[in-house]
Amino acid sequence: MPPLDNIKWERFCQNIVHGVAKHGQKFTQGRAYITAGYNAKDVGKDGGSAEACASRLLKRAKVEDRIAELLHDAQQRVTQKRRYDIETISERMALASRIAEEDRNPSALYGAEKAIAEVRGIIVKNGNPNPNKIDFNSAQSLQEIGRKLLQSVGFSEPDDVSVARAVELNDTFIDGLQQIYQDAQGLTLEQDDD
């Protein structure tokens, strides 16, 4: 969809999508309306004419469609930027590491390897181990393991009931792994008998 023919409508859509907060002002749809070039009373006040007019403008199909398109375009730009992700950076750092090794340049090799470790989260910039990495080796009980399991998926402060459920699920998981191992051992014994 090309830009809207009505330039104020187009500016309003752009303002809604990109925001127009200046000098610490609270962003509102009324402010987007005023910034687009419209005049209104009671700017920034709840129920002011700018808010009411902006609300009516937002109900127009062309405006709704244009805002949706602008949001989609903005999302596409963000997605494009994310494509240059950790894997890509790691591959480039690995290439730099290989080149440094071929050139027998230890300082460049060290720099490339350290950068790979930082990108992968193995170490943080100051060279210390990653403080966000959850250390299961320090767990002294099943409850601590359950708590760390939940923290590893983003549950920063799990309650006791959730920890108990995580321990139960972990036990089920371990039982499943042991069954896989026993099944594999049975296959190995059967193959030896043949």
Side-chain angles (χ1 to χ4, degrees), residues 48-83:
S49 62
E51 295 293 326
C53 292
S55 181
R56 282 194 301 274
L57 190 55
L58 282 168
K59 292 177 184 174
R60 293 184 174 270
K62 285 184 179 180
V63 171
E64 281 183 3
D65 292 344
R66 181 64 177 150
I67 289 172
E69 180 184 37
L70 291 170
L71 286 171
H72 180 264
D73 291 347
Q75 182 64 39
Q76 290 294 86
R77 284 192 300 276
V78 168
T79 302
Q80 284 295 109
K81 287 180 183 177
R82 286 188 183 151
R83 288 193 180 139

Side-chain angles (χ1 to χ4, degrees), residues 102-116:
E102 290 169 4
D103 290 347
R104 298 185 187 277
N105 184 341
S107 63
L109 179 61
Y110 169 78
E113 295 293 328
K114 184 176 178 198
I116 291 170

Side-chain angles (χ1 to χ4, degrees), residues 13 18 36 57 62 76 93 110 118 125-126 134-135 139:
C13 294
H18 300 295
L57 190 55
K62 285 184 179 180
Q76 290 294 86
M93 288 293 129
Y110 169 78
E118 288 172 359
K125 281 196 172 210
N126 62 8
I134 296 172
D135 180 17

Side-chain angles (χ1 to χ4, degrees), residues 7 15 19 40 42 45 47 50 52 71 87 100 109 166 168 171 176 190-191:
I7 193 147
N15 291 341
D42 301 327
K45 294 183 181 176
L71 286 171
E87 287 302 317
L109 179 61
E168 186 179 314
D171 290 344
E190 288 173 12
Q191 290 171 352

Side-chain angles (χ1 to χ4, degrees), residues 82-96 110-130 132-133:
R82 286 188 183 151
R83 288 193 180 139
Y84 194 70
D85 60 1
I86 290 174
E87 287 302 317
T88 305
I89 294 168
S90 295
E91 288 172 12
R92 294 180 61 84
M93 288 293 129
L95 175 63
Y110 169 78
E113 295 293 328
K114 184 176 178 198
I116 291 170
E118 288 172 359
V119 166
R120 291 281 182 187
I122 298 168
I123 61 170
V124 291
K125 281 196 172 210
N126 62 8
N128 295 328
N130 187 345
N132 297 325
K133 185 175 180 184

